[in-house]
């Protein structure tokens, strides 16, 4: 599963791990990605989305119908 959100487009960030001796090695900051299933009443089916924790809270606020329309506006197939 790729670590990116279908709603917000959040992707991994990259940076450095800095040790106590101040050596730097590269690391990756992954978003908190979850797979969640929602009932899409307008189409009479379930949709399974790959979302960040922030996007799940956004869907709780705006609703699944508005969220799916935003995802489709980004060009992602649902």
């Amino acid at each position: 599963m790729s670590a990116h959100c279908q709603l917000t487009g959040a992707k991994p960030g990259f940076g450095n791990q800095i040790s106590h001796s101040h050596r730097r090695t590269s690391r990756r900051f992954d978003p908190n990605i979850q797979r969640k299933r929602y009932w899409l009443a307008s189409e009479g089916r379930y949709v399974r989305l790959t979302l960040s924790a922030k996007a799940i809270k956004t869907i709780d606020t705006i609703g699944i119908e508005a969220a799916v329309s935003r995802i489709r506006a980004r060009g992602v197939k649902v």
Side-chain angles (χ1 to χ4, degrees), residues 26-43:
S26 60
R27 62 159 294 178
R28 182 172 141 147
F29 296 91
D30 285 328
N32 185 5
I33 297 294
Q34 311 292 326
R35 298 236 331 139
K36 197 134 167 62
R37 192 174 82 143
Y38 290 98
W39 174 252
L40 196 56
S42 64
E43 297 180 15

Side-chain angles (χ1 to χ4, degrees), residues 48-76:
R48 189 173 299 262
L49 301 173
T50 304
L51 302 167
S52 63
K54 180 181 178 181
I56 292 171
K57 293 173 190 172
T58 302
I59 290 175
D60 290 343
T61 304
I62 68 172
I64 186 63
E65 300 290 339
V68 167
S69 66
R70 282 189 194 181
I71 292 170
R72 287 182 174 144
R74 292 184 68 237
V76 178

